[in-house]
């Protein structure tokens, strides 16, 4: 959505660089952006501890990743936007073709809303599971997008990323050093790659949001360990969730576990409330922080830690979406949508056994 080399007092939701602040302004009014330049700043109605004066670097011109045989990612060609049948309900932002305003307040549901969240989460999990089976050397990320798109619309749902603030595809595919928001294109996956696939579906007026990192072919042990620890961070964070728990405990839990293995925790992208809107309060930070706020019964939100083997500083490509590590080091991510229950947390985005 925006390409930036300098950001002030800004955090991103994990899908779109959509700042989760108490504001009803559309993103175009929140951002101060000059097309053709790589600078963007943002006005906030509240301060965000530890996230002031964040810097995005310009894309590196180096092809080789230091101390690795792997080459840095480069963008491929994009296929045309895929159609969605007219009878499928679209989120409001698709109809307006404008970036949505920032939703304030938590997503808290009645019994009917909970059942709809379960349905959307279940479908998102099934789509993600299917997408993972497609990962193999030689398949393009565009082919994965096509399969995901077709499965979602065949189930009567809308692929939430498609058209969100101009995003051109139905899923995010983030390969190797891509932290998040990778746009599916003509690049074939290679043996040894890792790929995060981020699926969100809009079903019966509710979004279900999930992602996982998959292995492509013969993946080395260092990459496998990064992926394993990232999944453990998510699992440990979900385990501490319950009514009344402070959100900052999520960040501490993730950061503490990542530190044991020397991995970096990306700070610029966060989890978020999700339900009737794609992104809502609260911003769920994955690193140690002192933010306030406690979990509420029947609330839904995502947790989606992003860990790196090296530098945590992000670099945004010229497409204004794709975000990669500054040093080309690998990044992994896992995500679930959860529901706060009387007994703790229910994972809404996992396939039933």
């Amino acid at each position: 959505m925006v390409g930036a080399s300098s950001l002030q007092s800004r955090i991103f939701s994990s899908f779109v660089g959509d700042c989760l602040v108490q504001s009803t302004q559309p993103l175009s009014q929140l951002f101060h952006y000059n097309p053709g330049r790589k600078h963007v700043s943002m006005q906030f109605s509240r301060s965000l501890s530890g996230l002031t004066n964040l810097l995005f670097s310009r894309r590196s011109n180096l092809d080789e990743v230091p101390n690795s045989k792997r080459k840095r990612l480069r963008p491929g060609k994009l296929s045309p936007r895929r159609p969605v049948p007219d009878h499928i309900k679209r989120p409001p932002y698709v109809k307006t073709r404008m970036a949505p305003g920032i939703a304030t307040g938590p997503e808290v549901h009645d019994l009917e809303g909970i059942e709809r969240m379960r349905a959307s989460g279940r479908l998102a999990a099934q789509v993600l599971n299917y997408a993972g089976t497609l990962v193999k050397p030689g398949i393009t990320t565009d082919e994965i997008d096509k399969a995901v798109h077709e499965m979602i619309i065949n189930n009567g749902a809308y692929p939430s990323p498609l058209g969100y603030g101009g995003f051109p595809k139905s899923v995010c595919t983030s390969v190797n050093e891509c932290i998040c928001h990778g746009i599916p294109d003509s690049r074939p996956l290679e043996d040894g790659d890792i790929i995060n696939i981020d699926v969100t579906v809009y079903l019966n007026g509710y979004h279900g949001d999930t992602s996982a990192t998959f292995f492509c072919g013969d993946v080395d042990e260092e990459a496998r360990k990064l992926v394993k620890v990232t999944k453990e961070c998510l699992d440990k964070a979900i385990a501490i969730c319950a009514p009344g728990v402070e959100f900052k405990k999520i960040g501490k839990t993730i950061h503490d576990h990542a530190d044991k293995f020397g991995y970096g925790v990306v700070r610029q992208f966060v989890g978020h409330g999700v339900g009737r809107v794609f992104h809502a309060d609260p911003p769920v930070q994955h690193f140690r922080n002192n933010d306030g706020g406690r979990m509420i019964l029947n609330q839904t939100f995502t947790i989606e830690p992003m860990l790196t083997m090296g530098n945590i500083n992000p670099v945004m490509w010229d497409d204004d979406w794709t975000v990669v590590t500054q040093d080309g080091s690998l990044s992994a991510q896992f995500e679930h949508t959860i529901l706060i229950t009387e007994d703790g947390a229910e994972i809404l985005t996992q396939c039933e056994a």
Side-chain angles (χ1 to χ4, degrees):
M1 178 173 47
V2 289
S5 61
S6 175
L7 292 92
Q8 297 176 347
S9 304
R10 180 181 178 191
I11 62 176
F12 292 89
S13 76
S14 65
F15 170 66
V16 66
D18 168 6
C19 301
L20 299 171
V21 295
Q22 292 184 349
S23 170
T24 57
Q25 291 177 278
L27 293 178
S28 58
Q29 294 177 22
L30 286 170
F31 285 102
H32 298 291
Y33 177 54
N34 259 331
R37 300 184 63 188
K38 303 300 289 183
H39 297 274
V40 63
S41 62
M42 186 170 185
Q43 292 179 330
F44 273 97
S45 60
R46 66 172 183 249
S47 63
L48 296 167
S49 62
L51 287 175
T52 56
N53 299 320
L54 293 172
L55 298 178
F56 269 120
S57 301
R58 291 182 183 275
R59 181 176 157 189
S60 172
N61 290 321
L62 297 176
D63 278 334
E64 299 293 335
V65 177
N67 303 315
S68 173
K69 297 179 180 179
R70 177 171 50 84
K71 290 185 177 181
R72 289 182 187 263
L73 288 175
R74 287 293 181 258
K77 295 180 180 180
L78 298 187
S79 62
R81 177 169 169 159
R82 295 188 164 89
V84 177
D86 292 340
H87 71 273
I88 290 178
K89 183 177 181 179
R90 275 100 164 130
Y93 53 80
V94 176
K95 297 177 183 177
T96 62
R97 298 188 179 183
M98 295 177 61
I102 307 304
T104 61
E107 282 285 312
V108 180
H109 309 280
D110 58 17
L111 292 178
E112 180 182 0
I114 289 171
E115 288 307 311
R116 292 192 178 196
M117 283 298 299
R118 285 177 174 145
S120 64
R122 185 164 52 247
L123 177 58
Q126 292 168 348
V127 173
L128 179 63
N129 185 62
Y130 171 60
T133 67
L134 302 177
V135 174
K136 61 182 179 181
I139 193 171
T140 67
T141 50
D142 186 67
E143 289 173 308
I144 294 174
D145 179 80
K146 181 176 184 291
V148 165
H149 181 89
E150 291 178 353
M151 183 172 180
I152 293 173
I153 64 174
N154 287 342
N155 281 274
Y158 185 89
S160 302
L162 185 62
Y164 186 93
F167 192 80
K169 293 295 177 180
S170 297
V171 67
C172 294
T173 51
S174 301
V175 180
N176 293 338
E177 71 263 33
C178 186
I179 296 171
C180 58
H181 306 169
I183 300 175
D185 61 21
S186 62
R187 179 192 182 273
L189 293 181
E190 300 177 3
D191 187 60
D193 283 348
I194 62 173
I195 176 174
N196 176 269
I197 302 176
D198 192 337
V199 171
T200 311
V201 305
Y202 184 67
L203 179 65
N204 296 324
Y206 288 76
H207 298 271
D209 191 1
T210 186
S211 85
T213 300
F214 299 94
F215 302 129
C216 181
D218 184 17
V219 175
D220 66 46
E221 286 304 314
E222 284 192 343
R224 287 180 177 273
K225 183 178 177 182
L226 171 69
V227 172
K228 178 177 180 289
V229 172
T230 306
K231 179 61 163 59
E232 290 171 352
C233 284
L234 174 61
D235 293 342
K236 289 177 180 293
I238 292 173
I240 60 97
C241 292
V245 173
E246 294 177 301
F247 278 101
K248 67 182 182 182
K249 290 189 176 180
I250 291 175
K252 184 179 187 305
T253 299
I254 291 169
H255 212 153
D256 285 353
H257 191 61
D259 275 355
K260 293 177 182 178
F261 301 90
Y263 294 137
V265 181
V266 176
R267 299 190 174 206
Q268 290 88 341
F269 299 89
V270 300
H272 52 88
V274 65
R276 288 153 292 204
V277 297
F278 198 167
H279 299 92
D281 278 332
V284 180
Q285 300 190 50
H286 303 120
F287 59 96
R288 296 185 195 96
N289 64 87
N290 292 313
D291 285 3
R294 295 177 183 270
M295 300 170 199
I296 304 169
L297 182 66
N298 297 335
Q299 180 180 16
T300 52
F301 55 88
T302 71
I303 305 174
E304 41 195 304
M306 287 147 273
L307 270 57
T308 69
M309 291 182 68
N311 196 302
I312 64 172
N313 293 330
V315 176
M316 184 175 282
W317 282 7
D318 292 339
D319 61 22
D320 292 341
W321 287 100
T322 307
V323 177
V324 298
T325 57
Q326 186 178 50
D327 59 359
S329 62
L330 292 178
S331 178
Q333 179 189 17
F334 284 86
E335 173 186 13
H336 275 309
T337 297
I338 68 170
L339 167 72
I340 298 301
T341 67
E342 292 181 354
D343 300 325
E346 175 184 343
I347 300 174
L348 300 178
T349 47
Q350 63 181 0
C351 292
E352 297 177 353

